[in-house]
Amino acid sequence: MPHEMEDYSVNRLYPPSCFYVKLYRMQLDAPVPLPVLCTDIHLEIPSYLGRDYHGDISHIKAANLLNLQPNGAYLVRKSRSANGHFYTLSLKFNDKIHHYKLYYDPASGLYIREKRYDCVRSLVADGLVTMYLELKAPVFLQRLPTVNYQESPYMTLNKRKLQTLTKERAKYSLCARNIFPAQNLQVNDVEKYEKSHVFKITTFKGLNWCELCGNFLWGFSAQGVKCEDCGLIAHGRCSEKFPNDCIPDLKYLRGVFGIELTTLLTAHNATLPFVVTKCVTEVEARGLTSEGIYRLSGFAEEIDAIKMAFDRDGEKADLSQDKYPNINVITGALKLYLRLLPIPLITFLVHPLLIDAMQHKNLDLKISSIRHALFSLPKQHYATLQYMVEHLNRVSLHAAINKMNSHNLATVFAPTLIGPAEITSSVLPDMTTDILLIETLITHCGKIFNCSH
């Protein structure tokens, strides 16, 4: 009876259509790498190759050496026709001798195809597993590119998570509609949300399975890919099947600074980045009448301390006057956060649209064109930009005391909100239009943002 219950639980967790145990056993059954060592002690061996390098020998001699060995035996030899561009890996598998072009890249290592290895033994071990699976389980490998996403274990295992997030986003949409009523955000906007997965080739330790097809990730290195934002794991080919439904998980985010805005706000289920709101709150509480606000820089050590506090403590980071009496340290941290965004608040795609809008001479037409261009921003960027620009407008109202009118503020914030201009020569880029753009946003923020989005 206990045995039957165990089988039942396993079948519930791992559907019968998934070959978990079978594929894992196949990997264990695959031949292991057996280097045929060279006995020529006078041979010059490249530092990245081992004693399995035999120098300039023919493919016939290589085959004779390998024929005496079991499957999995291999050696590396010089390729006579390669002119030093590659070597030849000779490998015995399925009682046949196979020859492959072996390349070396000082930056990434040894390779035959796309995967990179730090030594020949690891490359051969991984190759033998793949060759063995191709021989023993061709149907499985053929199935990978045809997996139906809607029927995948990913959809089943994440159904509750997706439903929960949809409810949370509905609440966010209602909240955002109250905060920014002019944008006329609808609850339906939640369902249009898209974020692509950020897949990176990964070497996994232990047993891992693809979250799309549900099958074993075979091999000893670079077995598959993992999303850096949500942790989803998949075969390289299966990863191409996922739609843009990444749900970032806080445990995969490395701090706050330098994290893409949409990823950060989705992970925190927030409307605005708390770095921005906390810094702005401090500035408006005790810095609006500070001369040179945003123009003067604080001490780099204290700015870095604030950055580390945000990365470590999140919204609980202490920015109080007792902790940081110099308000310029707070403004420095805020500018640093905006400057480190991988995609600037005014995105690369929208920036040219805004530059075109600035060419209009008629002010009403210019404002209308700017407003229309800003509608192309992602909602997270739009909301944060609106929050920042309205704040800068309030700062400029105290220009008689703080000496920071809208033009001065625009001069400081143009490279921060738009991103640094490309330097194509020794001549510094002309920021005049960008400064005028930010100045226009600050001066006319009421007309630009208080319209339906």
Side-chain angles (χ1 to χ4, degrees), residues 214-279:
N215 286 303
F216 180 58
L217 293 177
W218 70 88
F220 296 99
S221 62
Q223 302 99 322
V225 297
K226 182 176 182 179
C227 177
E228 293 184 322
D229 290 341
C230 70
L232 186 147
I233 296 172
H235 293 108
R237 280 183 286 179
C238 285
S239 68
E240 300 171 3
K241 296 285 182 179
F242 285 95
N244 296 332
D245 64 350
C246 177
I247 306 171
D249 192 323
L250 285 175
K251 67 183 179 183
Y252 294 110
L253 300 186
R254 298 178 296 277
V256 178
F257 282 66
I259 303 298
E260 192 270 321
L261 186 61
T262 299
T263 298
L264 182 74
L265 293 180
T266 305
H268 286 271
N269 191 32
T271 307
L272 298 166
F274 57 79
V275 174
V276 173
T277 57
K278 284 182 70 72
C279 288

Side-chain angles (χ1 to χ4, degrees), residues 20-320:
Y20 285 95
V21 178
K22 183 177 179 181
L23 286 171
Y24 177 57
R25 287 177 179 169
M26 280 187 182
Q27 172 163 312
L28 297 180
D29 292 339
V32 297
L34 300 169
V36 176
L37 303 180
C38 178
T39 57
D40 186 353
I41 60 174
H42 301 293
L43 182 67
E44 287 190 14
I45 302 175
S47 59
Y48 47 87
L49 297 176
R51 296 298 306 181
D52 42 13
Y53 177 65
H54 287 249
D56 188 8
I57 65 172
S58 68
H59 72 281
I60 296 176
K61 183 175 181 180
N64 289 336
L65 289 171
L66 293 172
N67 279 327
L68 300 174
Q69 305 294 329
N71 285 317
Y74 71 92
L75 59 84
V76 180
R77 57 191 175 87
K78 183 178 180 181
S79 295
R80 296 178 177 179
S81 61
N83 295 323
H85 293 100
F86 59 85
Y87 299 93
T88 296
L89 170 67
S90 297
L91 170 67
K92 184 176 181 180
F93 175 76
N94 199 27
D95 295 324
K96 296 179 181 178
I97 308 301
H98 306 263
H99 304 282
Y100 302 94
K101 292 180 180 179
L102 177 65
Y103 298 89
Y104 174 71
D105 180 354
S108 58
L110 294 155
Y111 64 98
I112 289 178
R113 294 174 184 166
E114 69 276 2
K115 293 172 70 172
R116 302 297 196 265
Y117 305 85
D118 57 0
C119 67
V120 180
R121 185 182 181 87
S122 296
L123 183 151
V124 173
D126 208 43
L128 286 169
V129 169
T130 301
M131 294 168 71
Y132 191 76
L133 288 176
E134 288 174 345
L135 178 67
K136 298 293 184 179
V139 175
F140 161 72
L141 296 181
Q142 291 170 5
R143 180 175 177 266
L144 289 185
T146 59
V147 170
N148 186 334
Y149 174 78
Q150 296 300 327
E151 298 174 359
S152 73
Y154 172 75
M155 286 296 290
T156 302
L157 296 175
N158 290 273
K159 188 174 182 180
R160 183 178 300 176
K161 182 178 180 181
L162 291 168
Q163 289 175 340
T164 301
L165 188 72
T166 299
K167 293 178 182 178
E168 290 176 348
R169 285 186 182 150
K171 292 178 182 178
Y172 153 73
S173 184
L174 290 171
C175 176
R177 191 168 55 191
N178 291 331
I179 297 174
F180 304 108
Q183 294 182 48
N184 196 26
L185 295 175
Q186 301 295 328
V187 176
N188 291 336
D189 292 339
V190 171
E191 313 203 346
K192 298 177 183 178
Y193 171 83
E194 285 193 358
K195 184 193 177 305
S196 60
H197 292 275
V198 184
F199 286 117
K200 182 179 179 181
I201 297 175
T202 305
T203 295
F204 297 98
K205 295 181 179 179
L207 305 182
N208 288 275
W209 289 268
C210 175
E211 294 187 41
L212 181 68
C213 71
N215 286 303
F216 180 58
L217 293 177
W218 70 88
F220 296 99
S221 62
Q223 302 99 322
V225 297
K226 182 176 182 179
C227 177
E228 293 184 322
D229 290 341
C230 70
L232 186 147
I233 296 172
H235 293 108
R237 280 183 286 179
C238 285
S239 68
E240 300 171 3
K241 296 285 182 179
F242 285 95
N244 296 332
D245 64 350
C246 177
I247 306 171
D249 192 323
L250 285 175
K251 67 183 179 183
Y252 294 110
L253 300 186
R254 298 178 296 277
V256 178
F257 282 66
I259 303 298
E260 192 270 321
L261 186 61
T262 299
T263 298
L264 182 74
L265 293 180
T266 305
H268 286 271
N269 191 32
T271 307
L272 298 166
F274 57 79
V275 174
V276 173
T277 57
K278 284 182 70 72
C279 288
V280 165
T281 299
E282 286 296 320
V283 172
E284 298 202 354
R286 55 188 174 101
L288 290 178
T289 58
S290 177
E291 185 172 338
I293 188 72
Y294 285 117
R295 177 174 57 80
L296 299 177
S297 299
F299 294 109
E301 295 84 357
E302 290 188 287
I303 293 174
D304 193 51
I306 293 177
K307 174 183 178 298
M308 289 191 290
F310 273 124
D311 283 339
R312 182 184 64 248
D313 304 327
E315 294 184 69
K316 297 180 180 179
D318 183 6
L319 302 185
S320 65

